[in-house]
Amino acid sequence: MKFASRLHPHDPVSFREALFSGLAPDGGLYLPVDHPDLSTLIAGLDESVTFGDLAAAVSAALFAPEIDAAAAQRIARRAFFFAPRLVRLDGRMLLLELFHGPTCAFKDFGANFLAACIEELLAGERCQILVATSGDTGSAVAHAFYNRANIDVILLYPSGRVSALQEQQLTTLGGNVHALEVRGSFDDCQRLVKAAFRDRRLRATLRLTSANSINIGRLLPQSFYYLHAVSQHSTLRQKRPWFCVPSGNFGNLTAGLYAWHWGMPVAGFLAATNINDVVPDYLKCGVFSPRPSRHTLSNAMDVGHPGNFERMEQLFAGDWRAMKTVVKSGVVNDERTLWSMNQMHRRFGVLVDPHTAVGCAVAEDFIEEKPRRDAQVVILATAHPGKFAETVKRATGEEPELPERLVRCLALPKQSVSMAPELAALSNYLLETFA
Ligand SMILES: *Cc1c(COP(=O)(O)O)cnc(C)c1O
């Protein structure tokens, strides 16, 4: 695979180059120039193929000759010491649990793969990973890169907009992990990161690398669990499933669309959002109008300007009607989110976090529509319910168990630097600390 920005489509770069620079020199996102046909590889997958082996095989197919089979094996082994789990709820709905990694959210998959790739490809140089996070990204990235030689991680998170547990996960590692508490919104954090990558002085002095879902090294491995899910159930291999994706910045959904482009058999995708509904609005009326994000219970999805929309649009060559045939959508407010959590508990005995609950509600509505009575819907469960214990308790009356690895981090002291939402502040900090 090669990658190029929208403004310079005839100037493609390698996987390695796209991985380390994060954004193209013109400030644009890297978009795949072409999509390989993996349908033969995909047809050969079944229950006997482990997630790690699938990841290695697909990586080798995507990134050859830059990453050969042996390197792909090393990367997959280092990255994926955990795997997704597919749980059937009833005849039509399945949960794809993506929260069995170190920080109990799906972002562990992308972050760990990215860290393993950078480790594989970093030939003794030093680099700084710069990340804006609305909650889960930062902790996944921090844990994935923690204690790796020659790598510093700088996290920007919006002050007061992440949960207490998320903040602990972001700020307690120390060492090569530096947390910046920005006095602004997630969109401010994202804007600052983009501005830093464009800043000439910073680019000349530091080797900045992004680890947001804008980095293709994080985005592409998220396609692996879609492929894995389809291979895990004979029903899903015979009957094309719908994937219902709780979405904010739309990295997860974009990764699913990539898997579809490579030949994954799928009926379509359901984009599930909270009231930050820029993409559902686009699907309805064909106009993309970003706006300030609004605060909700599913806070990792509070994104007013979804960064990956440009990539979705590219896949359909800007054709709104074409996108609408593959991507359906649903919008869920906080009240419905709580209700959905309650219903999931009462009907199936499962506790889901508020992000997953948004997906469950959209899947439920979709199935209720008459013509699709026999649809198979795989809902991506994006976070462990224990990470949102208060909301789970409020919705269901049940106290979810917190995984041991999260209990431990709650007791550690917070280490962070407070910062104004301005490039000058970030730039000074970076130059003083790392130049
Ligand atoms: C990040 C996140 C999402 C949204 O994923 P995108 O790829 O940004 O659309 C959903 N749920 C949880 C728990 C998350 O952390």
Side-chain angles (χ1 to χ4, degrees), residues 15 49 67 69 140 146 157 228 312 327 331 373:
F15 173 64
V49 182
I67 291 180
Y146 180 54
Y157 71 96
H228 189 62
M312 295 170 66
V327 185
V331 181
R373 282 239 166 252

Side-chain angles (χ1 to χ4, degrees), residues 65-228:
E66 288 187 75
I67 291 180
D68 62 19
Q73 279 286 355
R74 279 194 297 276
I75 290 168
R77 212 169 304 137
R78 274 199 301 256
F80 302 125
F81 47 87
F82 55 93
R85 282 184 215 158
L86 190 60
V87 179
R88 188 168 272 294
L89 293 175
D90 64 10
R92 292 173 296 186
M93 286 198 290
L94 302 96
L95 270 186
L96 179 59
E97 294 182 354
L98 302 174
F99 50 71
H100 300 293
T103 70
C104 304
F106 82 86
K107 295 192 173 78
D108 286 327
F109 287 92
N112 275 50
F113 184 83
L114 175 69
C117 281
I118 288 184
E119 191 176 31
E120 177 76 29
L121 299 170
L122 192 71
E125 276 187 76
R126 221 185 154 75
C127 82
Q128 292 82 29
I129 312 282
L130 193 57
V131 188
T133 178
S134 59
D136 285 324
T137 303
S139 55
V141 169
H143 283 78
F145 284 95
Y146 180 54
N147 264 346
R148 285 184 200 261
N150 292 325
I151 300 177
D152 283 297
V153 183
I154 302 103
L155 306 165
L156 284 75
Y157 71 96
S159 181
R161 308 268 186 109
V162 301
S163 74
L165 174 62
Q166 284 173 332
E167 187 164 29
Q168 282 297 109
Q169 287 187 292
L170 294 172
T171 59
T172 57
L173 282 172
N176 63 331
V177 177
H178 313 268
L180 302 181
E181 183 174 0
V182 175
R183 301 189 291 272
S185 66
F186 169 63
D187 291 325
D188 288 325
C189 296
Q190 227 179 6
R191 179 176 52 76
L192 282 177
V193 167
K194 280 201 174 193
F197 278 106
R198 272 196 303 265
D199 187 275
R200 260 207 223 109
R201 179 135 171 256
L202 289 175
R203 289 168 68 106
T205 323
L206 304 170
R207 179 160 193 180
L208 293 181
T209 298
S210 111
N212 275 93
S213 58
I214 55 172
N215 189 304
I216 48 108
R218 240 200 65 191
L219 180 66
L220 294 173
Q222 292 181 353
S223 60
F224 300 164
Y225 42 73
Y226 289 89
L227 296 168
H228 189 62

Side-chain angles (χ1 to χ4, degrees), residues 85 87 89 93-100 104-107 136 243-248 252 270-274 296-301 330 332-333 336-345 348 350-365 377-388 391-392:
R85 282 184 215 158
V87 179
L89 293 175
M93 286 198 290
L94 302 96
L95 270 186
L96 179 59
E97 294 182 354
L98 302 174
F99 50 71
H100 300 293
C104 304
F106 82 86
K107 295 192 173 78
D136 285 324
F243 281 101
C244 181
V245 190
S247 296
N252 223 359
L270 307 176
T273 72
N274 59 32
T296 73
L297 289 174
S298 44
N299 72 330
M301 290 159 38
V332 175
N333 65 17
R336 177 84 196 278
T337 303
L338 290 169
W339 173 247
S340 170
M341 292 166 84
N342 180 282
Q343 288 301 298
M344 291 301 287
H345 180 238
F348 307 115
V350 297
L351 297 176
V352 296
D353 86 285
H355 306 81
T356 305
V358 169
C360 294
V362 170
E364 195 76 46
D365 288 347
V377 183
V378 178
I379 304 157
L380 273 58
T382 52
H384 192 287
K387 296 185 84 169
F388 300 88
T391 313
V392 172

Side-chain angles (χ1 to χ4, degrees), residues 281-288 320 324:
D281 246 21
Y282 168 81
L283 290 166
K284 221 180 287 163
C285 63
V287 180
F288 183 65
W320 162 65
K324 275 206 319 182

